[in-house]
Amino acid sequence: MNGSGVATFSTSVLTATTHAIVADYYGDSNFVASSGTLAGGQIVRGQPSISISDVSIAEGDSGTKLANFTVMLSAASDLTVTVNFATANGTANSSDYQSTSGTVTFSPTETTQTVSVTLNGDTAFEADDTYFVNLSSAANATIADNQGLGTILNDDAQGGIFSFSQSSYSVGESDGSITITVNRSGDLTGSASVGYATPDNSASFAVVPCLTVDGTASSRCDFTAASGRLAFAPAKARRRLPS
Ligand SMILES: [Ca+2]
Ligand SMILES: [Ca+2]
């Protein structure tokens, strides 16, 4: 190079390792032309690579929740690195998650970013569902793993959950009957049934006269035993026990 110039060096074939740069330099009559190797090795770094994590998360029963995918750069870069992302259906579809796409940007020195996918909760029993976050079109980096697998884990009981409408019921002795409501919650997508029966303690109270007031009712003295099965059609959440 001459006294006022700036050396520029451009190539597209350097491999990622340490390279020596040899320069010829010359100047005016006081500067003896010479040549030599610049002090220190000139390090050529390979482009970092991008990968994305997999995420498994329980679905939830209502509202939404986020599945956070980590997008990683194998090493910090001096350049801004970008990569596009887009979701894609597996067995999951738009009823299960909200599709999204965009660009992930790593500023110099950054190595981690997050892509969030919004999942929709529900109470239907179903198999675990899958979807993908695909990476494409990286700038200033290569892509080592271009696909994040999202798994929405089923957290619903098949057929739903049965419960009484109250923790206890009271009835007047002269009322003749009592109606007890059984609720079905959760998965209502299919039919389901549940058996019921009044416990019969008659045998253990056989020696006790019915007129004895001991706070315990028995079918021998106080009520007619009842048993049967309550059938719930799909999407029906309430049934009444027959009186
Ligand atoms: Ca659920
Ligand atoms: Ca579900």
Side-chain angles (χ1 to χ4, degrees), residues 59-61 96 120-127 153-156:
E59 174 192 66
D61 292 343
D96 303 303
N120 301 322
D122 67 43
T123 55
F125 171 81
E126 56 204 326
L153 300 172
N154 174 63
D155 57 4
D156 301 303

Side-chain angles (χ1 to χ4, degrees), residues 24-241:
D24 295 324
Y25 51 96
Y26 56 89
D28 59 25
S29 59
N30 296 317
F31 193 90
V32 180
S34 185
S35 65
T37 302
L38 297 180
Q42 313 307 308
I43 300 173
V44 178
R45 295 199 200 106
Q47 285 189 328
S49 62
I50 301 171
S51 58
I52 184 169
S53 66
D54 299 330
V55 175
S56 293
I57 189 170
E59 174 192 66
D61 292 343
S62 63
T64 60
K65 61 165 60 175
L66 293 179
N68 294 318
F69 292 77
T70 301
V71 183
M72 294 155 288
L73 204 55
S74 62
S77 175
D78 294 333
L79 304 175
T80 297
V81 171
T82 61
V83 66
N84 295 340
F85 69 90
T87 52
N89 290 352
T91 60
N93 57 37
S94 59
S95 68
D96 303 303
Y97 76 100
Q98 298 173 20
S99 63
T100 182
S101 62
T103 301
V104 173
T105 300
F106 298 89
S107 296
T109 76
E110 290 182 334
T111 57
T112 302
Q113 294 291 353
T114 300
V115 170
S116 297
V117 177
T118 301
L119 309 182
N120 301 322
D122 67 43
T123 55
F125 171 81
E126 56 204 326
D128 296 344
D129 284 322
T130 57
Y131 60 98
F132 304 101
V133 178
N134 293 322
L135 302 179
S136 62
S137 304
N140 295 324
T142 59
I143 298 178
D145 175 3
N146 71 343
Q147 188 167 76
L149 171 65
T151 304
I152 305 171
L153 300 172
N154 174 63
D155 57 4
D156 301 303
Q158 186 171 21
I161 299 167
F162 296 110
S163 62
F164 289 111
S165 60
Q166 298 174 212
S167 58
S168 64
Y169 301 83
S170 296
V171 60
E173 194 171 44
S174 61
D175 289 350
S177 66
I178 183 171
T179 297
I180 295 172
T181 300
V182 175
N183 292 328
R184 179 191 183 201
S185 60
D187 175 40
L188 309 180
T189 56
S191 60
S193 66
V194 60
Y196 68 89
T198 53
D200 189 350
N201 297 321
S202 297
S204 59
F205 293 99
V207 297
V208 178
C210 281
L211 292 179
T212 301
V213 178
D214 61 1
T216 302
S218 74
S219 63
R220 179 175 62 89
C221 302
D222 306 296
F223 62 88
T224 301
S227 64
R229 177 161 287 274
L230 298 176
F232 289 72
K236 292 290 184 357
R238 293 168 73 87
R239 277 288 184 276
R240 285 185 169 181
L241 283 172

